[in-house]
Amino acid sequence: MRDEDEIVRESAGGPYRQIVARGVSRRDFLKFCSAMAAVLGLSGTFAGKIAEAIEKAERPILVWLEFQDCAGNTEALLRATKPTIAEIVLDVLSVDYHETIMAPAGKQAEKSLEDVVKNHKGKYIACVEGSIPLKDNGVYCCVGGRSAIDIAKEVCGNALATIAVGTCATSGGIPAAAPNPTGAIGVKQALPNVTVLNLTGCPMNVENLTATVVHFLTFGGLPATDSIGRPLFAYGERIHDHCERRAHYDAGQFVKQWGDEGHRQGWCLYEMGCKGPETFGNCPVVKYNEGTSWPVQAGHGCIGCFQPEFWDKMTPFYRRLPKVPGFGVEVTADKIGAGVAAVAAVGVAAHRIARAIRGKQDKKEDTE
Ligand code: SF4
């Protein structure tokens, strides 16, 4: 007698056909759909809709452009070995051009890109990794004899959607750090008339790319974003508000030196330069390497790489956030976070926490 998976294998359509062909069970597939609903901030009831969409969707075409980059986001993509299904969902995209991983080279490779733009105008997804240099007519980054800005204008300008991956593509990143010798900028700034979704991070978390693709397959469009084009499901809340060390922060228990007793006890890394209070991202929730860990859990402060221009604005990495005179350390951090929150229109939690902490501080002062 045939089991359920066998029946599914024979009847599967869309990208789901590739998934079952890899031996993924129906149960694991549905678990993946539930996990994606959670990452996207949707209720569990959306898991069925996601499953249905992946089963029926056309295999989308994707082209991946690399400009001034270190290929760190490509590495993140390729290292997505677990959860396996996430990798497979990315696999089942028809990746028609990706200079690091594609078999063809030279003119043949460039022809693949030309063919996509010509034959699938308005129907493909363009992912861009790396910044775009504008100085001296863009000569500092050329591929196949064309400048990055020239390629981006044509490829992104004719795409159904453009996703900028990593901090270099979203705001210039390290190439744009002062003195920015090549005049590097992010894709959104370079192409103001193109709709660009920004997945910041150095590198971006591949879970967020997977969830974006799943959102696209399920709802036929890109997710809602904040004022700088980042999806709210991934960048709507501060790292500080979901950090497992937060209770130590609230209790005033700070690591003072690497390897001290507080560090061994997992206390807050704020005084060691942690930028979690002014960084928006879902690192503490989604984590990395199959949800194993994330930098703060591993004992290092957040360096704020999810924030635009982090290389200039978040350094020195090991110096604590500036202290505003007249406030305690906790209120200072939350005031800064609240300022950033106002920009992203998600400041309610920050104010609530600031009030609670202020109350605690007042009580402490009364006692003293
Ligand atoms: S300052 Fe950093 S380590 Fe401390 S609670 Fe906030 S995010 Fe976590």
Side-chain angles (χ1 to χ4, degrees):
M1 198 171 134
R2 295 183 310 160
D3 63 14
E4 192 196 349
D5 286 341
E6 207 177 327
I7 296 166
V8 166
R9 264 195 294 281
E10 284 172 12
S11 59
Y16 183 58
R17 187 194 298 275
Q18 317 291 325
I19 294 170
V20 292
R22 285 178 177 252
V24 174
S25 72
R26 179 78 185 163
R27 185 185 165 81
D28 283 345
F29 173 64
L30 292 175
K31 264 165 66 182
F32 165 76
C33 294
S34 299
M36 280 296 113
V39 174
L40 287 166
L42 302 170
S43 77
T45 53
F46 275 90
K49 189 170 167 58
I50 289 172
E52 198 186 327
I54 294 177
E55 283 166 358
K56 291 186 179 158
E58 290 281 315
R59 193 171 177 227
I61 294 171
L62 182 139
V63 293
W64 185 289
L65 306 176
E66 282 186 74
F67 296 137
Q68 291 194 128
D69 72 323
C70 68
N73 294 280
T74 292
E75 286 293 333
L77 179 76
L78 299 178
R79 297 291 174 270
T81 51
K82 290 180 179 178
T84 314
I85 305 175
E87 181 192 28
I88 290 168
V89 163
L90 292 170
D91 263 0
V92 298
L93 292 164
S94 174
V95 182
D96 286 16
Y97 179 87
H98 189 312
E99 63 183 63
T100 302
I101 60 174
M102 68 195 297
K107 289 194 171 133
Q108 257 186 325
E110 294 317 303
K111 179 153 187 331
S112 306
L113 184 59
E114 281 166 32
D115 287 347
V116 171
V117 176
K118 196 166 107 196
N119 302 328
H120 302 281
K121 192 172 175 176
K123 292 185 184 151
Y124 60 90
I125 300 171
C127 269
V128 185
E129 175 177 14
S131 62
I132 298 176
L134 294 188
K135 200 170 166 190
D136 300 329
N137 293 323
V139 295
Y140 301 106
C141 180
C142 293
V143 181
R146 294 173 70 194
S147 68
I149 184 65
D150 191 27
I151 297 168
K153 272 183 189 163
E154 186 190 14
V155 176
C156 302
N158 287 300
L160 171 63
T162 296
I163 305 173
V165 295
T167 301
C168 295
T170 52
S171 63
I174 293 172
N180 192 357
T182 64
I185 56 173
V187 181
K188 208 173 176 57
Q189 198 186 342
L191 306 173
N193 299 324
V194 172
T195 302
V196 179
L197 184 95
N198 282 331
L199 293 180
T200 57
C202 191
M204 52 107 203
N205 190 332
V206 73
E207 299 279 340
N208 292 334
L209 179 60
T210 309
T212 301
V213 170
V214 166
H215 187 284
F216 189 83
L217 294 176
T218 307
F219 301 106
L222 296 172
T225 63
D226 65 10
S227 59
I228 52 172
R230 302 181 299 183
L232 286 171
F233 75 79
Y235 301 89
E237 293 181 16
R238 285 189 309 167
I239 281 181
H240 186 59
D241 295 334
H242 292 281
C243 177
E244 63 263 48
R245 295 178 189 241
R246 179 59 189 261
H248 295 293
Y249 177 96
D250 292 347
Q253 294 174 321
F254 300 104
V255 175
K256 306 279 184 194
Q257 208 177 337
W258 299 117
D260 69 8
E261 187 54 25
H263 197 213
R264 284 197 289 275
Q265 297 290 334
W267 287 4
C268 173
L269 296 158
Y270 174 76
E271 294 198 6
M272 302 306 289
C274 180
K275 306 297 187 292
E278 55 180 327
T279 302
F280 286 81
N282 57 359
C283 303
V285 180
V286 173
K287 303 187 180 178
Y288 296 82
N289 301 325
E290 203 190 358
T292 305
S293 188
W294 67 293
V296 170
Q297 186 178 344
H300 193 284
C302 162
I303 61 168
C305 75
F306 274 33
Q307 290 306 111
E309 297 147 30
F310 84 100
W311 197 258
D312 284 337
K313 291 185 179 167
M314 296 293 187
T315 45
F317 292 136
Y318 296 102
R319 190 177 300 161
R320 55 189 277 181
L321 294 165
K323 187 173 177 177
V324 178
F327 291 96
V329 61
E330 294 87 351
V331 179
T332 302
D334 271 334
K335 277 175 80 70
I336 292 165
V340 183
V343 175
V346 289
V348 180
H351 286 296
R352 198 179 57 231
I353 291 162
R355 266 207 311 278
I357 292 166
R358 192 73 185 271
K360 248 188 229 171
Q361 187 81 3
D362 290 344
K363 262 191 216 159
K364 197 174 159 216
E365 280 165 12
D366 286 345
T367 313
E368 282 166 359

